[in-house]
Amino acid sequence: MSNDVPIPAYDIFQPNSSKEIRIRFFNHTVRDNAATDLRCAFLKFGDNESEGPMDMAFTTGDVSLFNDSESLQDFLAALDGGPWALKLWAYMNPMNYHALVESLRRPPRSWTYLDYCNHVTYSCITGENTRRLFRFRLVGTGILDEFKLSPEEQKEPWTLKRPEAEVKKCDYYLGEALENVAVTNPTMRLQIQHRDVTSDIVPEELKDPCKSWDEKSCPWEDIADIVLTYKVPNVLAERAKFNVEKIPDGISVQTLANASPYTYLLNVHEKVLFASTRSRPLSNSSFSDVICKPEMTTYLVHVETGYQIESETNAAVSISIYGTKGRTRKLLLDKSFHNDFERGRKDAYYLQAPVVGDIKFVKIFLVGGGRSRDWFLRDIVIFDLNSRKSYDFPCFQWITANITIPKGNAILIQREEDPALWHIRKLEIAQKQKTIGWHTENGFTGRIDFASYKDLPRDLKFAIDQEWERGTIFESFATKMKLHHFTSIFNAFDSFEDFRAMAEILEQSEIAKAILNKDNWMRDEEFGRMVLDGINPIMLRRCEAPLENFPVTDEILKGCLDRELNLQEEMEAGHVYILDYKILEGIPRTEGSYLPNPLCLMYVRTDEELVPIAIQLEQKPSLDNPIWTPNDTELDWLFAKTWVKSADANMHAIYTHLFRAHYLSETFAVSTHRNLPVTHPVYKLLMPHVKYTIAVNTASKNKLVGGDDTILAKLLALGGKCFDLIARAYSEFKWDHLNVPMELSIRGVDDPQLLPNYHYRDDAMKMWKCISDFMSKVVHIYYKTDSDIEEDEELQNWMKDIKLNGLVSWKEEDNGVPGCVESVLHLIEIMTMIIYNESCFHAAVNFGQVDYYQFGPNYPGAMRAPPPTKKKVTTISSIMAALPTKSGQSMMIAFTSFLSKYSSLEAYLGEYHDPYFTEPSVREVQAEFRDNLKKISEEIQTRNKSLKIPYTYLLPERVPNSTSV
């Protein structure tokens, strides 16, 4: 940005600042980039696929081709009717002809050569009784007149054909030509035109996008240089979302009297822009013919195909529209000489049909298609040109034959007054329950009843893109990480430096570097930090009284306590905590692996550091089971801590990650798919969060767990017996464990004064409250009273299914899972628990794995020698003999690197790539949720600046919506 921006210093227009932006260039009307056409550019502040803070749409030409709904529809109908219709439109009004001629451009050598105008009149308050109006344009690097129509071409501008001398391929200018941008780095300019008005009433001619401002009195001024540095990959470019109605607070759009806001018209127009090059009318009637037949209407049908690989279909697709006054026949969605429904495409169709009133639902029919029949439909938007009403039908499903799609607004079943829509809900649930069943096994959580991933319905699988991206776990990642040659070396390491050398093959995170820096991993303070803020931050409990099986005395702890209090007094004061791995006792170990069942006493010193002060490696005290303390030799104490970390690594992988973050979550996903129709608000709320839970759990079932030849069996001492530990863990599970405030209170770690520097707790509580507030606002939109909850049979069946088939109580003592939803507040709590567990909890225990497992001695999954039974016998050699081999450690690094990698298709908390909700009221709450998450992120990042090792795992921008790895 320049240092003289003539509008207030909003974040995106800060003087002397640099911003990342994206520009998408495209043709307006025809597919042939070498043909004469309107050229378009969409500008987004920010280098991502989500909506920017102020997206802007630009087209060539000084004036717009429309300024209200009627003129927009006239123009779109003219484009769709072909050259003859465009000619009639141009002759209807001299301004139409002028605008068309001025907007069309011959093919430039680069789209960056052209100038583009935004046509929107923005305004802001700059002083008392003073309003500043302003417009934007993009200025290219070429000579403008070089690409305008020649005098001969201006005689018939509606032909939209390529110059006779043009020999480039039809996709050259938006393909290979744009690739050269990354080499030449052309600089375009963002310019502003502004003028001040003191009257409360802004003259209409200053608002009209079809009229330009006088450049002598309002000259264009440069406000920014735009340097184009690289071409965004197509898969990301196609997913990018633009919303030109979204503008910063303090800026408004000037709207013509009795007209829709021009930004709204642009948003409607945008749905046509990406599809208009593939549109044609299904009737020869002109727009004027349509409005002369009141019994008929024209439906503008926008169809968006999914962006996943193989989303496209070769089937013939028809639609039938059902409304309050009847239905249409099957209407074929087809355009001649065009491949309809290609991956990531938005197609538009004009369908003439009888008026059916307010549209309630549509039916889609597929015929033929062969092997390329299946189709992923994102959504359909229908615009009735007569009534000027728009109807949204979100789908986000695979279609194999026929499907009924109700209108997108969420509604409770007791408020569904239309019999047809009521029956559609019932049929949908019946079909889901027929397809999706429970597999229940005594002692375990319920899971989906499919033997393998390939048997899953396609809607429950990963997108093929993600399947390919995940690929194989060991071989591909070991190769990428330059570790492949280690996987066949079964020798022990010679020293800690050898482990460090292997760890440093990887590109290390800030946390991983800090753990290794100056042997920080050996320090007691780092051990304590890892207990609080590592990848298993839920094991610590307050210890309020001595344990009979852990006979720690004041004499043993001499010099370890620093408050002049004895151990009993320290416990009563809340300064003593414990790690207890009794749950591991009795579970068989993988052959050749060793794992103790340790107890570790932790202490909060006066400097607020949490440190270990006593370790007993087995549950029963004996002469062969000594208590280790910092008073022992350096190697004795280090080795004792290493064994505790090994026990914690197994607990993390199997209990915390696999059981808590994956298997518990699957129960909510299965019940949601079985019991809630697509129009239920709870379904719409949960789908972004349970989207891939079933897929990842089913895919991992055979490769990851379940036997001696699985991945975890090769990496963990308990890996071959995962389900033994999971069954024991589930027998102790309580519903309250999923409630963050209650879970922290149960463990006695909820007081920041007694237990400082517990950043997982602090960030978890912020995220919990933020999600709870979000849930409260959305839930209250649909449930006004507790009676609404009681009367919602679909909701009650959903909760009942979770209790009876998902989180079953196999013991006489009930696990506390409710069998019904009792109130509005109860539903808010349940929804918060589910969404937190699916997103935040999984992120906290998953994506930092490589940081801790990367350096073998820091977090060994399997030890190869028994734990020590005597003091003063530990040597470097004995430690090396117990730690993993080079083969085992290389596989551990490869595996945890794989698990720690974010998918390129990930949607993060607050992002809704698939907008299930269509209601503005919910979308406003979602926007507020995103704003609150941004504030939390800023707070965490500010706090992290003062930490030696930052805690980043609950930064909202690092928390995916769904458990997907």
Side-chain angles (χ1 to χ4, degrees), residues 705-949:
V705 298
D708 293 335
D709 197 37
T710 57
I711 293 173
L712 291 188
K714 300 175 187 297
L715 301 177
L716 301 172
L718 299 181
K721 302 296 179 182
C722 287
F723 289 116
D724 293 48
L725 177 54
I726 289 171
R728 184 173 294 180
Y730 185 52
S731 70
E732 299 177 3
F733 167 76
K734 300 295 180 186
W735 178 249
D736 288 345
H737 293 171
L738 298 178
N739 183 306
V740 171
M742 288 185 179
E743 192 271 341
L744 292 169
S745 177
I746 289 169
R747 291 193 288 119
V749 294
D750 53 333
D751 189 342
Q753 299 299 318
L754 292 178
L755 185 59
N757 299 317
Y758 192 3
H759 304 116
Y760 163 78
R761 172 200 59 207
D762 301 339
D763 295 354
M765 286 300 297
K766 290 177 182 178
M767 297 294 280
W768 174 272
K769 184 179 185 306
C770 186
I771 295 171
S772 179
D773 290 345
F774 172 46
M775 286 299 102
S776 177
K777 290 176 182 177
V778 177
V779 166
H780 276 102
I781 291 174
Y782 300 99
Y783 296 93
K784 306 300 182 184
T785 66
D786 291 345
S787 296
D788 293 335
I789 296 286
E790 296 171 9
E791 295 168 5
D792 187 349
E793 62 180 71
E794 292 169 340
L795 178 72
Q796 298 300 344
N797 289 339
W798 168 76
M799 192 69 240
K800 183 179 180 181
D801 206 19
I802 291 172
K803 179 173 180 62
L804 296 182
N805 297 302
L807 300 177
V808 187
S809 287
W810 295 107
K811 300 192 306 180
E812 290 185 8
E813 182 185 358
D814 191 80
N815 58 18
V817 177
C820 65
V821 184
E822 299 172 355
S823 64
V824 175
L825 290 179
H826 192 205
L827 177 59
I828 293 167
E829 178 191 9
I830 293 170
M831 295 295 288
T832 305
M833 291 165 71
I834 294 173
I835 292 176
Y836 178 89
N837 207 61
E838 292 275 3
S839 56
C840 301
F841 183 76
H842 179 261
V845 304
N846 178 75
F847 290 104
Q849 292 191 65
V850 72
D851 294 337
Y852 292 88
Y853 287 100
Q854 189 171 344
F855 181 66
N858 185 59
Y859 214 48
M863 303 289 272
R864 297 180 299 115
T869 58
K870 292 182 171 48
K871 295 190 176 187
K872 298 182 180 180
V873 296
T874 301
T875 63
I876 291 292
S877 296
S878 63
I879 295 176
M880 291 300 121
L883 288 172
T885 64
K886 294 178 180 179
S887 172
Q889 183 58 22
S890 68
M891 288 192 292
M892 178 65 84
I893 293 175
F895 181 59
T896 55
S897 297
F898 167 81
L899 295 178
S900 302
K901 182 177 174 59
Y902 293 95
S903 166
S904 62
L905 301 177
E906 209 79 75
Y908 296 89
L909 203 59
E911 295 179 352
Y912 300 98
H913 294 173
D914 297 337
Y916 289 92
F917 282 104
T918 61
E919 297 91 321
S921 57
V922 179
R923 292 189 172 184
E924 289 174 8
V925 176
Q926 289 175 332
E928 182 182 345
F929 180 46
R930 286 191 290 272
D931 290 340
N932 291 334
L933 290 171
K934 183 178 179 181
K935 292 175 183 176
I936 291 175
S937 176
E938 291 169 351
E939 291 172 3
I940 292 174
Q941 292 187 62
T942 299
R943 189 252 347 256
N944 282 348
K945 290 178 182 178
S946 64
L947 302 181
K948 294 179 181 178
I949 300 181

Side-chain angles (χ1 to χ4, degrees), residues 26 28 38-43 54-60 63-69 71-73 75-76 117-122 135-136 207 209-210 242-247 253-255 259-274 300 302 346 383:
F26 55 97
H28 183 284
L38 281 78
R39 314 298 181 187
C40 306
F42 273 15
L43 185 149
M54 186 176 179
D55 300 334
M56 290 189 277
F58 296 81
T59 59
T60 48
V63 295
S64 174
L65 294 148
F66 56 89
N67 59 8
D68 60 16
S69 297
S71 61
L72 171 60
Q73 296 304 326
F75 175 58
L76 295 178
C117 290
N118 178 241
H119 306 135
V120 180
T121 300
Y122 299 97
R135 289 179 170 180
F136 295 98
K207 305 176 185 176
C210 291
F242 295 83
N243 181 5
V244 296
E245 292 185 83
K246 184 178 179 181
I247 53 178
V253 174
Q254 291 295 311
T255 303
S260 301
Y262 187 66
T263 49
Y264 166 76
L265 298 178
L266 286 175
N267 254 357
V268 174
H269 193 208
E270 181 268 344
K271 290 184 175 291
V272 181
L273 286 182
F274 294 135
L300 174 56
H302 299 283
K346 298 178 181 179
F383 188 78

Side-chain angles (χ1 to χ4, degrees), residues 413-690:
I413 188 169
Q414 63 264 38
R415 297 197 183 122
E416 185 57 83
E417 298 176 354
D418 188 283
L421 292 173
W422 190 89
H423 282 289
I424 287 171
R425 293 173 82 115
K426 291 292 185 181
L427 290 171
E428 179 191 346
I429 291 174
Q431 182 59 42
K432 284 180 173 181
Q433 293 185 351
K434 181 180 178 181
T435 304
I436 301 172
W438 287 100
H439 175 86
T440 56
E441 184 178 347
N442 196 324
F444 295 93
T445 58
R447 62 179 187 266
I448 198 164
D449 192 21
F450 286 98
S452 65
Y453 178 79
K454 66 181 178 61
D455 299 323
L456 287 177
R458 197 162 186 180
D459 279 319
L460 299 183
K461 291 183 178 181
F462 290 117
I464 292 179
D465 314 49
Q466 290 171 300
E467 292 179 1
W468 287 5
E469 186 176 42
R470 292 301 179 187
T472 57
I473 294 177
F474 278 144
E475 291 81 6
S476 64
F477 234 98
T479 300
K480 289 178 184 177
M481 296 298 113
K482 303 177 183 178
L483 296 166
H484 189 69
H485 65 285
F486 284 113
T487 58
S488 59
I489 300 176
F490 296 95
N491 298 339
F493 288 86
D494 294 326
S495 65
F496 293 135
E497 286 304 313
D498 285 352
F499 276 102
R500 180 190 294 270
M502 179 180 284
E504 291 177 347
I505 292 175
L506 286 171
E507 181 180 351
Q508 294 180 307
S509 69
E510 184 179 356
I511 294 174
K513 289 178 182 177
I515 290 172
L516 285 179
N517 185 41
K518 297 180 180 179
D519 290 329
N520 187 43
W521 67 276
M522 294 183 176
R523 299 176 65 243
D524 290 349
E525 292 82 359
E526 171 57 18
F527 185 100
R529 187 206 63 82
M530 181 173 162
V531 168
L532 296 175
D533 291 345
I535 51 173
N536 194 18
I538 61 169
M539 295 303 298
L540 192 71
R541 306 178 72 91
R542 183 173 169 181
C543 185
E544 298 179 303
L547 302 177
E548 290 185 6
N549 65 326
F550 193 12
V552 181
T553 64
D554 291 323
E555 181 63 27
I556 291 175
L557 295 179
K558 186 176 181 180
C560 297
L561 310 178
D562 64 359
R563 285 186 178 83
E564 298 183 358
L565 300 174
N566 61 35
L567 180 59
Q568 179 67 45
E569 293 168 336
E570 293 278 18
M571 287 180 173
E572 293 171 356
H575 302 145
V576 182
Y577 297 82
I578 193 165
L579 299 171
D580 188 348
Y581 298 90
K582 180 177 176 59
I583 192 172
L584 305 177
E585 196 171 30
I587 296 176
R589 274 48 170 169
T590 301
E591 185 178 356
S593 296
Y594 297 86
L595 190 71
N597 314 290
L599 294 143
C600 178
L601 210 60
M602 307 289 293
Y603 175 66
V604 180
R605 297 188 315 213
T606 54
D607 62 1
E608 298 188 343
E609 293 279 5
L610 178 72
V611 294
I613 56 174
I615 293 172
Q616 183 176 288
L617 295 180
E618 297 295 347
Q619 292 288 312
K620 297 179 181 178
S622 69
L623 294 177
D624 292 333
N625 185 25
I627 295 175
W628 312 82
T629 75
N631 296 323
D632 293 316
T633 68
E634 183 178 350
L635 285 181
D636 274 356
W637 181 232
L638 176 64
F639 204 26
K641 290 188 294 181
T642 302
W643 282 102
V644 174
K645 289 182 178 182
S646 186
D648 195 71
N650 280 263
M651 279 295 290
H652 161 262
I654 301 171
Y655 168 76
T656 306
H657 186 208
L658 193 59
F659 169 66
R660 284 282 303 270
H662 280 264
Y663 289 169
L664 292 181
S665 296
E666 184 172 345
T667 63
F668 307 125
V670 174
S671 186
T672 298
H673 283 291
R674 280 173 46 83
N675 295 287
L676 299 178
V678 295
T679 50
H680 198 287
V682 171
Y683 176 92
K684 291 175 178 283
L685 275 170
L686 287 182
M687 276 311 296
H689 305 285
V690 301

